[in-house]
């Protein structure tokens, strides 16, 4: 994993013309500004720095390296073809199965490899396949490539957005970087994108919390031709089966195939020239990864990293106070004992959370109303302390195997005619559907949020009536905003933002071909997975400590298979009577989420985990009066600081801290954390105060 910062000075015929009519490059890139940009993301790559400038100084590719594969100087970036060198690239991430691709390219092309780095295959693949090279990449990546002969600049992001990539236009220059803070030395003056904040654009589409700064979408590439026109295009998207077609596979076949694909993904993710560890929680996802890693090493003789950890796998965990109700470290410890792995855990109390609050916010570059991102930030300190640069994690399993309760109403919205079990009668489906929708709405009401249950809304009509977007939009921060924001930006409709983020081709598939569960998985994966869970609960908190986290569940060869499975093997009704069957008289039972993953992982996990219901990873949600967090938020949420934001109404926020810490109101606590993070971002980034009249007409 690494950090990249790239600058492209765009052509402007009027600006670039001298008085005498000859052409001149008035816009250039200086080495000093690129150095300062890279220094702000040095945490992503503390091992080396690499830079390349075009001969006319209009294009610069910058790279800070975290050495994982090919630790020699030959693995340093940027990479180039040639001689002569006409193609140049910087890559952030890991590309798997690169040995096979390298061998194939060596046989079929005259490309001369200069290293054994996984990332060098980018240049060779582009030289052979042009813009089609992206479909040959397997892994998590963000990259920038410049083809000098074709005058084409490309910035691409992996299929699920595991690696971040941002872009903006400043003073006639296209800026692309792994983190927005890298733009600060390049002429960028941060402003709040108030509309994005109000309607949830930052966590559901390509926008960020900063005006004019956008994300390259997952599975997309940005292309700039002839240093002029810039556009974003798709190279990959999620696909699901036609719900009208019968699935003829047996459950045993599907379970075996899931196990095979997941083992293959884990095997590929073990490759590195440094030690590799595993993040271990009390859930089935990370435990399945740890169990499979142990199996591959002990039973099949696989390498793990650079072979320094061949006898016992090292696992890392976070522990909250036992009386908080959120500590899962005891379960993780029992799993570690079962697997016979080395187990390291970091204890996090309230004081430790408060100590890291501001730094974690700076690294994430957006707010998040729960503090589990700070727990992940602290957890990522632990591997480094024990000599590890790489860890495997369990992100992505819930999205693909249906691990979230918010999916349940959409699973039950229609019968699964492709593979519906006869033990689950239609009458029970309808009954459970109504209960699931009601229970979910009641949950959001209990925490002070609001989930719309009406099926006759524009977003629902656009997305075949699925309710998952309503749950994604239940937490509304715009209720804290100053009155002028509504006049200037109109009514905020976060649920409509989610619906609008789905393109017309996919909306048609949702209407006619996809089961509602798969439609729900699609919008969640494009929204919360890419913009929250893989950001502040993924790359940003991990790379803050120079840790490369790998996500075997998001290997696209695995996910393409899992996405093609029928809904009824992802969520499964199990009767309370005997745990296996449901009869007409046994009308009580429960839905088991991630059923097929449980079955596929069963040989590698404890019976406790196999039977345990999902408990989402979370930090504690309530904290005592006059404690470290209470005092920190009192320091941050002041009249001066809040009014300095410009878009937040002080009268609506002045009692938040009292309501949160004294009144123990869950929603007030989340609002208080959000406002405090806006203040931190404002101060750390120097964000200009938002004011009426600043909206673009």
């Amino acid at each position: 994993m690494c950090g990249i910062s790239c600058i492209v000075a765009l052509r402007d015929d009027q600006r670039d013309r001298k008085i005498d009519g000859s052409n001149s490059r008035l816009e250039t890139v200086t080495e000093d500004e690129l150095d300062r940009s890279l220094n702000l993301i040095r945490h992503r790559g503390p091992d080396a720095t690499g830079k390349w400038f075009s001969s006319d100084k209009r294009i610069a590719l910058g790279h800070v390296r975290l050495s994982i594969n090919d630790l020699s100087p030959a693995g340093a970036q940027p990479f180039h073809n040639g001689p002569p060198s006409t193609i140049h690239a910087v890559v952030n991430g890991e590309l798997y199965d690169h040995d096979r691709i390298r061998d194939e390219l060596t046989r079929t092309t005259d490309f001369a490899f200069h290293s054994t780095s996984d990332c060098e295959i980018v240049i060779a693949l582009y030289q052979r396949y042009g813009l089609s090279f992206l479909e040959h990449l397997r892994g998590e990546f963000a990259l920038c490539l410049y083809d000098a002969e074709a005058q084409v600049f490309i910035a691409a992001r992996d299929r699920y957005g595991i690696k971040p990539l941002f872009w903006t236009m400043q003073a006639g220059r296209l800026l692309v970087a792994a983190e927005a803070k890298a733009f600060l030395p390049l002429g960028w003056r941060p402003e709040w994108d108030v509309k994005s904040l109000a309607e949830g654009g930052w966590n559901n589409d390509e926008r960020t919390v900063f005006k004019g700064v956008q994300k390259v979408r997952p599975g997309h590439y940005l292309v700039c031709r002839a240093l002029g026109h810039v556009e974003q295009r798709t190279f990959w998207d999620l696909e699901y089966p036609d719900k009208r077609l019968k699935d003829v596979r047996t459950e045993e076949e599907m379970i075996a195939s899931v196990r095979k694909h997941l083992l293959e993904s884990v095997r590929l993710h073990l490759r590195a020239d440094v030690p590799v560890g595993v993040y271990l929680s009390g859930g089935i996802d990370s435990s399945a990864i740890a169990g499979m890693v142990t199996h591959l090493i002990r039973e099949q003789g696989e390498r793990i990293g650079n072979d320094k950890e061949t006898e016992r796998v090292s696992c890392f965990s976070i522990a909250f106070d036992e009386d908080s109700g959120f500590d899962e470290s005891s379960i993780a410890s029992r799993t570690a004992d079962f697997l016979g792995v080395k187990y390291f855990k970091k204890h996090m109390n309230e004081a430790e959370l408060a100590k890291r609050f501001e730094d974690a916010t700076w690294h994430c570059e957006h707010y998040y109303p729960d503090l589990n991102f700070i727990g992940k930030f602290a957890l990522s300190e632990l591997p480094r302390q024990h000599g590890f640069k790489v860890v495997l994690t369990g992100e992505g399993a819930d999205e693909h195997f249906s691990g979230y309760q918010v999916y349940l109403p959409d699973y039950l919205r229609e019968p699964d005619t492709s593979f519906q079990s006869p033990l689950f009668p239609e009458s029970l489906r309808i009954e459970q559907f109504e209960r699931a929708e009601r229970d979910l709405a009641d949950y959001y009401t209990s925490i002070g949020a609001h989930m719309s249950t009406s099926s006759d809304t524009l977003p629902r009509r656009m997305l075949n009536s699925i309710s998952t977007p309503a749950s994604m939009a239940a937490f509304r921060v715009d209720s804290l905003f100053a009155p002028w924001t509504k006049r200037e930006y109109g009514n905020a409709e976060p649920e409509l933002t989610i619906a609008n983020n789905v393109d017309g081709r996919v909306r048609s598939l949702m209407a006619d071909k996809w089961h509602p569960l798969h439609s729900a998985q699609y919008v969640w994966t494009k929204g919360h997975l890419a913009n929250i869970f893989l950001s502040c609960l993924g790359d940003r908190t991990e790379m803050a400590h120079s840790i490369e986290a790998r996500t075997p569940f998001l290997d696209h060869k695995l996910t393409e298979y899992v996405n093609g499975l029928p809904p009824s093997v992802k969520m499964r009704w199990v009767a309370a009577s005997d745990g296996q069957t449901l009869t007409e008289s046994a009308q009580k039972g429960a839905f088991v989420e991630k059923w097929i993953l449980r079955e596929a992982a069963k040989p590698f996990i404890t019976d406790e985990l196999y039977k345990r219901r999902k408990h989402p990873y979370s930090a504690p949600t309530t904290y005592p009066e006059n404690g470290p967090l209470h005092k920190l938020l009192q320091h941050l949420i002041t009249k001066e600081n809040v009014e300095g934001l410009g878009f937040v109404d002080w009268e609506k926020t002045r009692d938040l801290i009292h309501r949160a810490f004294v009144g123990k109101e869950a929603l007030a606590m989340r609002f208080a954390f959000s406002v405090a993070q806006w203040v931190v971002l404002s101060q750390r980034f120097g964000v200009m105060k938002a004011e009426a009249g600043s909206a673009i007409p």
Side-chain angles (χ1 to χ4, degrees):
M1 298 300 176
C2 307
I4 56 180
S5 180
C6 301
I7 309 168
V8 178
L10 304 176
R11 284 202 176 95
D12 185 313
D13 289 341
Q14 297 300 317
R15 185 184 63 227
D16 286 4
R17 188 171 294 115
K18 281 186 174 180
I19 295 176
D20 61 8
S22 63
N23 288 331
S24 173
R25 45 178 170 77
L26 300 182
E27 291 290 342
T28 59
V29 180
T30 68
E31 190 162 351
D32 175 68
E33 63 180 343
L34 185 59
D35 283 339
R36 288 186 287 118
S37 176
L38 292 172
N39 281 337
L40 282 176
I41 55 172
R42 179 71 56 190
H43 50 276
R44 301 189 67 89
D47 297 333
T49 300
K51 295 170 286 187
W52 174 84
F53 296 85
S54 62
S55 59
D56 59 4
K57 298 290 186 177
R58 297 193 74 135
I59 300 168
L61 307 182
H63 187 267
V64 286
R65 184 187 185 198
L66 181 63
S67 302
I68 302 295
N69 290 316
D70 190 348
L71 309 184
S72 74
Q77 300 188 42
F79 289 117
H80 317 275
N81 71 334
S85 296
T86 58
I87 303 171
H88 317 271
V90 286
V91 185
N92 166 31
E94 286 297 333
L95 302 176
Y96 304 113
D97 204 17
H98 61 94
D99 288 341
R100 180 191 61 79
I101 295 173
R102 180 189 303 272
D103 290 344
E104 179 182 318
L105 291 168
T106 300
R107 292 194 311 270
T108 58
T109 73
D110 59 358
F111 187 87
F113 285 95
H114 300 287
S115 75
T116 58
S117 169
D118 56 310
C119 295
E120 193 178 5
I121 64 172
V122 165
I123 294 274
L125 285 170
Y126 173 79
Q127 191 166 284
R128 180 162 180 79
Y129 297 107
L131 284 174
S132 296
F133 81 103
L134 293 165
E135 67 190 63
H136 296 272
L137 299 179
R138 183 176 186 177
E140 55 261 17
F141 59 86
L143 62 87
C144 290
L145 180 148
Y146 180 63
D147 182 340
E149 288 189 338
Q151 292 191 332
V152 172
F153 175 84
I154 301 160
R157 193 175 178 202
D158 66 67
R159 293 166 178 82
Y160 285 106
I162 304 166
K163 293 290 100 186
L165 196 61
F166 299 90
W167 68 282
T168 188
M169 305 285 278
Q170 298 291 323
R173 303 198 299 184
L174 169 64
L175 311 179
V176 181
E179 298 181 16
K181 59 178 64 71
F183 299 145
L184 287 168
L186 306 179
W188 175 53
R189 296 188 64 203
E191 298 180 60
W192 293 111
D193 190 334
V194 178
K195 190 170 179 64
S196 173
L197 287 164
E199 62 188 23
W202 69 273
N203 66 344
N204 287 303
D205 59 33
E206 76 277 7
R207 288 174 289 175
T208 66
V209 301
F210 302 119
K211 186 181 295 185
V213 176
Q214 300 180 63
K215 293 161 268 190
V216 176
R217 289 174 178 264
H220 283 64
Y221 62 94
L222 202 71
V223 60
C224 174
R225 302 179 189 278
L227 305 186
H229 180 63
V230 179
E231 61 183 352
Q232 189 165 179
R233 299 223 171 175
T234 307
F235 72 87
W236 184 88
D237 203 0
L238 296 156
E239 296 288 346
Y240 299 96
D242 189 329
K243 63 187 177 183
R244 300 166 297 185
L245 302 178
K246 294 288 185 181
D247 197 313
V248 298
R249 294 171 292 184
T250 66
E251 289 180 353
E252 290 74 20
E253 287 177 304
M254 289 186 270
I255 292 168
S257 289
V258 168
R259 185 178 297 141
K260 174 185 174 183
H261 280 86
L262 185 52
L263 279 167
E264 174 64 13
S265 176
V266 172
R267 179 184 288 109
L268 290 174
H269 282 70
L270 293 177
R271 282 292 312 275
D273 292 334
V274 295
V276 176
V278 181
Y279 278 161
L280 182 63
S281 70
I284 188 174
D285 307 335
S286 62
S287 300
I289 298 298
M292 287 186 170
V293 169
T294 304
H295 167 79
L296 288 169
I297 293 169
R298 293 178 183 164
E299 305 300 325
Q300 298 189 16
E302 289 292 333
R303 294 175 54 197
I304 178 169
N306 63 351
D307 280 341
K308 290 183 179 178
E309 295 290 319
T310 55
E311 296 181 0
R312 298 181 69 192
V313 178
S314 293
C315 293
F316 305 93
S317 182
I318 193 80
F320 296 109
D321 291 337
E322 289 187 13
D323 59 0
S324 69
F326 292 86
D327 181 44
E328 294 186 330
S329 62
S330 60
I331 302 175
S333 180
R334 289 193 291 273
T335 299
D337 289 342
F338 169 79
L339 295 175
V341 299
K342 288 189 279 187
Y343 179 61
F344 307 93
K345 71 177 180 180
K346 190 177 189 72
H347 182 259
M348 288 293 293
N349 56 28
E350 183 189 357
E352 294 296 308
L353 290 170
K355 183 170 69 174
R356 294 167 175 82
F357 185 93
E358 295 182 70
D359 284 344
T361 301
W362 156 255
H363 280 283
C364 290
E365 301 186 336
H366 62 73
Y367 74 97
Y368 188 54
D370 294 319
L371 298 190
N372 44 359
F373 78 101
I374 304 179
K376 190 66 176 291
F377 182 85
L379 172 61
S380 297
E381 299 168 3
L382 192 57
R384 270 290 186 174
Q385 295 170 5
H386 294 275
F388 286 78
K389 286 184 175 181
V390 179
V391 292
L392 272 57
T393 78
E395 273 79 20
D398 288 318
E399 284 72 18
H400 292 87
F401 290 97
S402 298
Y404 296 123
Q405 280 298 107
V406 297
Y407 289 157
L408 184 57
D410 290 326
Y411 165 61
L412 295 168
R413 194 167 301 280
E414 294 180 7
D416 178 11
T417 57
S418 68
F419 199 81
Q420 180 62 64
S421 168
L423 300 177
F424 188 61
E426 179 67 5
S427 59
L428 183 59
R429 181 190 68 81
I430 296 172
E431 172 194 321
Q432 292 295 322
F433 166 66
E434 293 172 349
R435 177 182 176 181
E437 279 215 322
R438 184 174 60 252
D439 288 350
L440 200 58
D442 289 346
Y443 163 75
Y444 283 109
T445 299
S446 72
I447 62 172
H450 174 70
M451 174 185 166
S452 170
T453 56
S454 172
S455 61
D456 189 25
T457 64
L458 179 57
R460 290 282 189 97
R461 294 194 296 271
M462 292 173 68
L463 301 178
N464 195 27
S465 298
I466 62 173
S467 59
T468 293
S471 64
M472 294 167 66
F475 179 67
R476 298 281 300 270
V477 295
D478 59 304
S479 61
L480 302 176
F481 285 12
W484 70 263
T485 62
K486 186 173 182 179
R487 296 193 302 269
E488 190 121 344
Y489 296 101
N491 292 324
E493 297 186 61
E495 195 174 345
L496 186 58
T497 299
I498 296 168
N500 286 337
N501 190 46
V502 180
D503 67 34
R505 181 193 72 87
V506 171
R507 287 198 297 269
S508 178
L509 291 169
M510 289 180 174
D512 300 324
K513 294 185 177 181
W514 291 356
H515 188 277
L517 174 67
H518 290 150
S519 298
Q521 290 178 302
Y522 185 94
V523 297
W524 185 283
T525 299
K526 293 293 185 178
H528 283 2
L529 176 65
N531 299 318
I532 296 179
F533 299 145
L534 294 177
S535 176
C536 65
L537 296 176
D539 172 271
R540 312 305 286 282
T541 48
E542 294 148 354
M543 289 301 290
H545 304 289
S546 307
I547 290 295
E548 172 181 296
R550 299 178 174 181
T551 53
F553 281 114
L554 291 177
D555 174 69
H556 77 278
K557 299 291 186 181
L558 167 66
T559 61
E560 286 174 346
Y561 179 80
V562 175
N563 287 347
L565 295 172
S568 294
V569 301
K570 298 175 184 178
M571 284 194 170
R572 174 62 58 92
W573 174 266
V574 177
S577 56
D578 58 10
Q580 296 295 326
T581 61
L582 177 68
T583 66
E584 290 294 329
S585 60
Q587 294 293 303
K588 293 184 178 181
F591 288 98
V592 176
E593 73 283 345
K594 297 187 286 194
W595 179 83
I596 196 166
L597 175 60
R598 293 173 188 272
E599 299 303 316
K602 190 175 182 179
F604 312 105
I605 60 175
T606 63
D607 190 57
E608 175 186 23
L609 283 168
Y610 172 72
K611 294 178 178 178
R612 187 176 187 244
R613 297 298 303 275
K614 177 177 173 59
H615 292 263
Y617 160 69
S618 180
T621 55
T622 58
Y623 298 92
E625 186 179 359
N626 296 321
L629 281 169
H630 189 182
K631 293 177 182 177
L632 174 66
L633 266 61
Q634 284 178 321
H635 170 71
L636 292 171
I637 304 177
T638 64
K639 186 174 189 292
E640 179 183 6
N641 287 346
V642 170
E643 291 183 343
L645 297 172
F647 63 92
V648 179
D649 191 326
W650 169 245
E651 293 303 317
K652 297 177 182 177
T653 57
R654 65 189 309 161
D655 67 340
L656 273 182
I657 296 176
H658 179 83
R659 288 165 49 201
F661 290 92
V662 180
K664 306 300 180 184
E665 294 181 30
L667 188 62
M669 185 70 77
R670 301 182 104 207
F671 279 152
F673 288 149
S674 300
V675 174
Q677 289 171 73
W678 293 336
V679 169
V680 171
L681 292 173
S682 175
Q683 295 174 346
R684 291 284 187 100
F685 278 85
V687 187
M688 289 184 280
K689 179 180 179 179
E691 296 179 320
S694 61
I696 299 174

